[in-house]
Amino acid sequence: MKSRILMLILFTLISSVAVSSAELHLDVKAIKAKRIADEITDLRSHRAAQLLNSDLEISPEIFKKTCGAVKKRAMEIVKTEGVKIKHAAIKNRNPKHAATPEEAKMHEYFDNNRDVSEIINEKIRDGRKYYSYIRPIFIETACLKCHGKKSNRPEFIKKGYPEDKAFGFQVGDLRGIIEVMVPID
């Protein structure tokens, strides 16, 4: 009888350690996803802010140094960290960033719940389990040079993105979302 009780206690202890280990593993994934989202969002803000006190006209070269730098860094992170990064918007400029129905719901949720700064969950994508970290992207003053009035958009954007919907924003508007997915397994 004593051996059964000892086995039960031992099993309980091992089970609780295994759960704690799994939770710790997930916490590390959460921290990684948040860190990556912070880096990309901060880079975007920093690069765009450099345009604020500048009389520079937004040219393709300036665009590449701003938004292009964010894309380049995101691609580097995907390659080196083994994660997926997705930007999505309802009013997208690049068709590759058009929100899926699921992403549009997230977008709407953030727009209607401004006190919510992130959504964290698990999901299966392409048969693989991921830890998903989603946060909103809001329009800042510097963003208005390309995302403000439709008529004020740089000419190369008008020509390069004939189906552009990413204009007409004001400071504080929800521009889109960023999702970082870290593989769990």
Side-chain angles (χ1 to χ4, degrees):
M1 181 70 167
K2 287 183 182 181
S3 64
R4 286 185 183 180
I5 292 173
L6 285 173
M7 290 294 279
L8 182 59
I9 292 171
L10 184 60
F11 176 76
T12 304
L13 286 173
I14 291 171
S15 296
S16 65
V17 169
V19 169
S20 297
S21 175
E23 288 172 353
L24 178 62
H25 182 67
L26 201 53
D27 287 345
V28 169
K29 302 288 185 181
I31 292 166
K32 180 177 183 176
K34 183 176 183 346
R35 178 188 54 79
I36 291 168
D38 285 346
E39 179 181 345
I40 297 298
T41 304
D42 292 347
L43 178 61
R44 176 184 289 109
S45 292
H46 175 75
R47 291 291 178 136
Q50 292 176 338
L51 301 173
L52 270 180
N53 298 325
S54 166
D55 292 333
L56 290 174
E57 183 178 327
I58 306 295
S59 66
E61 293 76 29
I62 299 294
F63 182 77
K64 286 178 186 173
K65 289 180 180 178
T66 308
C67 295
V70 173
K71 178 183 177 184
K72 181 180 177 184
R73 181 63 186 135
M75 290 170 64
E76 289 169 357
I77 292 170
V78 166
K79 188 174 182 179
T80 60
E81 300 282 340
V83 300
K84 292 181 183 247
I85 300 174
K86 173 91 189 300
H87 290 90
I90 293 173
K91 290 176 62 175
N92 61 291
R93 174 160 290 149
N94 185 331
K96 293 178 185 176
H97 299 152
T100 64
E102 177 188 0
E103 291 163 343
K105 287 179 186 174
M106 294 289 159
H107 190 285
E108 184 178 332
Y109 181 80
F110 282 124
D111 207 19
N112 293 327
N113 298 279
R114 292 298 180 105
D115 58 322
V116 177
S117 61
E118 59 191 13
I119 296 173
I120 302 166
N121 59 31
E122 292 180 21
K123 60 174 57 173
I124 296 177
R125 181 83 37 97
D126 303 323
R128 192 165 185 196
K129 195 172 185 181
Y130 289 91
Y131 177 87
S132 169
Y133 178 89
I134 305 167
R135 72 165 3 156
I137 301 169
F138 293 102
I139 291 288
E140 300 172 22
T141 303
C143 303
L144 297 177
K145 288 198 174 201
C146 294
H147 294 287
K149 291 182 181 178
K150 182 178 182 177
S151 60
N152 290 352
R153 293 173 302 151
E155 202 58 41
F156 76 92
I157 288 178
K158 292 176 188 176
K159 289 180 181 172
Y161 298 96
E163 302 298 318
D164 183 15
K165 298 178 244 168
F167 54 83
F169 290 101
Q170 295 180 14
V171 172
D173 285 349
L174 180 62
R175 168 72 182 91
I177 61 171
I178 180 172
E179 179 178 24
V180 177
M181 295 191 320
V182 179
I184 291 177
D185 46 14

